[in-house]
Amino acid sequence: MSTTGAFHCMLKALLLGLIASPALGQAQVELGGGSNGWDQQGWYVQVDGVMGGKSTGDLAFSDSNLIFSGTINLQGGGFSSVRRSLAGNNDLSNHAGILIELESEILSSVQAPLGLHLQLGDSKSTYGYSAAFAVPFSSPERELSRIFIPMDGFDRADRMGFVCSSCRLDTSSVNEVDVYVLFQEGAFEVRLRSITAIAEKPSFEFLASTPEVSMTSTDVSGLITKTIASGGSLWDKGYPELCIAIYETTARQILASTGSSLALRSLACVGLREASIAASKNDKGWILRKAFDAVLADLSGQARTADSGYPSAVQGAWLPAPGESSDCSSLNESVGTAADLSVDESIGSSFEGPFEGKGISGYNDLGQYFVDNPSECAEKCRQLSQCRSFDYGAREKVSGECWLSTANRASAGAAYTTWTLYDYYERSSDPSDSNSDIISPTSSETEDMTFKVDEASFEGPFEGMGISGYNDLGLFRVDAPGECAEKCLAMTACKSFDYGAREQVLGECWLSTANRESAGSAYSSWPLYDYYEQSNSGGIGNGKRSNDDMMNSGVTEPGQSDEDGTFPVMVAVVCTGVVGCLVGLGTMFLYNKYEKKKKSVAFQVEGPVAGVAEGSPVDAAGSNPTVVVVGQPVQKMQKDGKE
């Protein structure tokens, strides 16, 4: 048998031969559909009309399917959902995950896969916990597809649009299930067959059952282009999980296709394989984006994007060279290898440690995360130029906590002390750090970037002026207005910024979706600040960004969005979560951006109390904030029992 024939047969075994229904056993819990059918009275539609949106939703039942259809309108909202409250509390703590059976979408024209959130609620929390998946394509008819989501995949906790990184689903008291379509403009239709909690992982956990579709090189190019546009837009809005689900589904579609070359399918295969062992969602998104970029470059006969255009974690020659193929037989075997890496090998020479039972108090000012191992925590530290050390929860109840700090042992002094359950890691000063090209520009690059504002891009400075109440893209600490301008340019929604130019507010960088025209009387005198406005008053989507910008902006984008960026970020963030709570709070709350107080004393930020968004550093006791999470106030971060 030829190499091509062997590859094709192997793919069919992976993609098609493994999709037989697993033995669900008696431990299954049907949350919707299946042998008991759909509770037609229990399921209902909820759309963004509760906050002034114009999206629609419709619910029908036919041929064992729940058919959820409608239109997403981004003017004033952007979501539509179907939901059901379950009878009592369902104990799913001994279940492996959720099996979704749905019909594929007919591939009639080139479009991106539709991404969805499956959200579970529990009786112990007001948050909803979601996981993302996407609908595969088939041709010429719809086919039944099955997708498995492990229980720990429901790791995005939303409440009224705010994301809580420390919240976890109580799998012993699941009482609600919802399906969301979010921020994907236009008409949609989803045909769900069943949603079932199952006791054992099915054999096709990594590769969702993707129908085989004939695709030419032109089809592949068009599908990837649409996928990047859709996924990049969702990433911009703070939904990396949806972006990744759409990217993975497109990669699987290419892998399962006929008609496209072996080399192109190999790129998709290797991208999926590397993404399956990625240390973080950020890495996973960029791995898949790099694979897509390689496909597009090879199809067009152009050189591939240089490694310097990607975060360091995804750099390297791991993709097949143009025209070459790769053995994909180890695809499933590669799952889980990242967790088997030793700490020293994963962290490398970039950090000193671990210093067991040690940590820094009061300086954990770059945020708390929950990770699987010290290596993932180290990667988060690498991606922040200010990060000098991290404390990793290594034992007992704090296991997996990752606290990032601007301090090291020398600067922290007596604050570096004994913390029995934590291990301390400190960034070395080794200039060979693999991230130096992204995190720390040379002195000449720094001078060009931070001390000059591009006159072609911005009007200003308007000395002693600023905008109140519209600084909804966050607060940053910068060295000069040019650096603040760079951060504004990196966000599609940013139209202006207020720069703290004098006295104790020096270096504050407040980014805004408003300009003088839209802000009206909110544009007024602020003696300590200078105001700058983008010349075209529109956000600029510049595709890839430095790793530092991605982590600090909170709107990372392993894709390039076609969005014009005019939709306020605050509204974009509040469109999910426990939507029912929005009715009681009222529409006015949803549209109120948090206010900043510019005073001649230490600054403060007013706004609603909210959770901490994953990947968004926040304030800590005794230190200046680096970033204010969009729509949220600066918050004090403390470790368990720490002051």
Side-chain angles (χ1 to χ4, degrees):
M1 180 182 292
S2 67
T3 302
T4 300
F7 186 89
H8 183 69
C9 290
M10 181 272 299
L11 290 183
K12 290 190 69 174
L14 282 173
L15 294 165
L16 303 175
L18 297 177
I19 67 174
S21 296
L24 299 181
Q26 296 183 353
Q28 71 184 57
V29 176
E30 293 181 338
L31 305 179
S35 60
N36 293 327
W38 295 94
D39 178 6
Q40 298 187 21
Q41 301 302 315
W43 286 89
Y44 64 97
V45 173
Q46 183 138 30
V47 298
D48 53 16
V50 297
M51 52 184 296
K54 300 177 182 179
S55 299
T56 64
D58 187 55
L59 183 60
F61 300 91
S62 176
D63 297 329
S64 301
N65 289 330
L66 179 154
I67 304 174
F68 173 35
S69 60
T71 303
I72 299 298
N73 189 320
L74 301 183
Q75 301 301 313
F79 77 86
S80 184
S81 67
V82 288
R83 52 188 57 221
R84 176 199 178 195
S85 295
L86 302 176
N89 294 330
N90 292 265
D91 186 357
L92 306 183
S93 57
N94 293 322
H95 289 70
I98 305 297
L99 179 68
I100 304 168
E101 292 186 313
L102 75 165
E103 291 189 3
S104 57
E105 178 68 26
I106 297 176
L107 183 64
S108 57
S109 60
V110 175
Q111 60 192 51
L114 177 67
L116 301 121
H117 264 179
L118 178 64
Q119 181 171 282
L120 302 179
D122 63 46
S123 62
K124 305 294 180 61
S125 170
T126 57
Y127 283 89
Y129 300 87
S130 57
F133 66 100
V135 182
F137 293 118
S138 63
S139 181
E141 298 177 347
R142 298 181 187 272
E143 297 182 19
L144 183 65
S145 294
R146 300 181 179 93
I147 297 172
F148 175 76
I149 302 175
M151 291 306 297
D152 60 9
F154 293 87
D155 59 356
R156 180 187 176 92
D158 283 341
R159 182 178 63 192
M160 296 179 293
F162 298 114
V163 179
C164 175
S165 64
S166 61
C167 299
R168 297 291 182 269
L169 172 68
D170 182 357
T171 56
S172 67
S173 63
V174 175
N175 62 2
E176 184 176 339
V177 57
D178 314 322
V179 179
Y180 277 90
V181 179
L182 293 153
F183 302 113
Q184 295 159 85
E185 192 168 21
F188 68 87
E189 182 179 277
V190 183
R191 304 172 71 91
L192 293 168
R193 183 69 56 84
S194 65
I195 304 172
T196 307
I198 59 176
E200 297 180 359
K201 295 180 180 180
S203 58
F204 55 92
E205 176 188 353
F206 173 64
L207 282 178
S209 53
T210 305
E212 185 176 288
V213 176
S214 177
M215 301 180 70
T216 66
S217 296
T218 301
D219 294 333
V220 170
S221 177
L223 176 59
I224 289 178
T225 300
K226 291 292 186 180
T227 294
I228 290 174
S230 178
S233 173
L234 290 164
W235 192 283
D236 276 347
K237 289 180 170 64
Y239 294 90
E241 301 88 357
L242 275 174
C243 175
I244 292 168
I246 291 172
Y247 278 16
E248 287 181 332
T249 299
T250 287
R252 294 188 189 110
Q253 203 80 57
I254 296 170
L255 182 58
S257 67
T258 60
S260 55
S261 70
L262 177 62
L264 295 186
R265 285 180 283 139
S266 292
L267 288 171
C269 171
V270 174
L272 286 167
R273 183 180 64 202
E274 294 299 312
S276 73
I277 59 173
S280 67
K281 294 176 183 178
N282 188 71
D283 291 352
K284 181 174 291 190
W286 278 103
I287 286 169
L288 294 167
R289 174 60 196 267
K290 184 177 180 180
F292 287 161
D293 287 348
V295 172
L296 294 177
D298 291 358
L299 285 174
S300 65
Q302 298 178 354
R304 294 180 180 178
T305 303
D307 250 3
S308 59
Y310 300 98
S312 60
V314 304
Q315 292 179 7
W318 47 269
L319 283 171
E324 294 185 0
S325 60
S326 174
D327 181 11
C328 207
S329 59
S330 62
L331 184 58
N332 285 333
E333 296 174 359
S334 69
V335 177
T337 55
D340 297 331
L341 292 174
S342 69
V343 170
D344 290 339
E345 290 176 345
S346 297
I347 295 180
S349 60
S350 301
F351 290 84
E352 299 174 35
F355 299 91
E356 296 184 0
K358 307 291 285 186
I360 290 181
S361 303
Y363 288 85
N364 304 102
D365 46 353
L366 296 182
Q368 178 193 17
Y369 304 81
F370 285 86
V371 297
D372 293 327
N373 51 58
S375 304
E376 187 176 345
C377 193
E379 182 57 27
K380 291 184 180 297
C381 186
R382 288 191 187 100
Q383 292 176 340
L384 293 175
S385 59
Q386 306 98 323
C387 187
R388 295 292 175 268
S389 66
F390 67 89
D391 296 348
Y392 176 72
R395 287 165 285 280
E396 300 178 14
K397 62 181 180 180
V398 302
S399 181
E401 291 184 8
C402 168
W403 295 84
L404 306 186
S405 175
T406 58
N408 55 21
R409 287 169 293 175
S411 63
Y416 173 71
T417 183
T418 298
W419 285 103
T420 308
L421 302 183
Y422 295 82
D423 291 344
Y424 174 81
Y425 296 78
E426 185 171 297
R427 199 161 183 175
S428 67
S429 57
D430 185 357
S432 65
D433 189 330
S434 62
N435 287 269
S436 60
D437 58 329
I438 287 181
I439 294 177
S440 302
T442 63
S443 58
S444 61
E445 289 172 332
T446 302
E447 179 179 356
D448 290 342
M449 179 181 72
T450 62
F451 290 95
K452 297 178 182 178
V453 175
D454 184 1
E455 295 179 357
S457 300
F458 288 90
E459 300 176 41
F462 298 92
E463 296 184 1
M465 300 298 291
I467 291 180
S468 303
Y470 288 86
N471 305 100
D472 46 356
L473 296 182
L475 165 66
F476 299 81
R477 291 288 179 177
V478 297
D479 294 322
E483 186 176 353
C484 193
E486 287 293 323
K487 293 184 181 297
C488 185
L489 288 171
M491 296 189 188
T492 58
C494 186
K495 291 186 174 57
S496 67
F497 66 88
D498 296 347
Y499 174 70
R502 287 165 284 282
E503 300 178 17
Q504 53 266 69
V505 301
L506 184 66
E508 290 185 11
C509 168
W510 295 87
L511 305 186
S512 176
T513 59
N515 55 21
R516 288 168 292 177
E517 180 180 1
S518 62
S521 61
Y523 174 70
S524 58
S525 175
W526 287 105
L528 301 185
Y529 293 80
D530 292 346
Y531 174 79
Y532 294 80
E533 182 173 295
Q534 283 209 48
S535 300
N536 60 4
S537 293
I540 299 175
N542 61 352
K544 301 184 185 70
R545 308 182 192 148
S546 72
N547 222 23
D548 191 29
D549 284 342
M550 288 189 295
M551 289 301 297
N552 284 334
S553 70
V555 286
T556 57
E557 179 188 3
Q560 184 169 358
S561 168
D562 289 336
E563 297 286 331
D564 62 10
T566 59
F567 189 72
V569 171
M570 178 60 184
V571 177
V573 175
V574 299
C575 289
T576 60
V578 185
V579 180
C581 295
L582 298 176
V583 178
L585 292 177
T587 303
M588 288 302 295
F589 170 78
L590 296 170
Y591 284 97
N592 284 336
K593 302 184 178 76
Y594 67 93
E595 288 277 339
K596 71 178 181 186
K597 277 191 177 180
K598 299 171 181 173
K599 293 187 175 180
S600 57
V601 296
F603 87 99
Q604 66 185 70
V605 177
E606 298 177 345
V609 176
V612 179
E614 181 179 358
S616 297
V618 296
D619 189 31
S623 97
N624 290 329
T626 301
V627 154
V628 175
V629 182
V630 174
Q632 301 181 45
V634 176
Q635 298 179 54
K636 180 179 291 185
M637 296 292 292
Q638 295 181 342
K639 295 178 190 171
D640 190 355
K642 288 199 173 186
E643 297 296 326

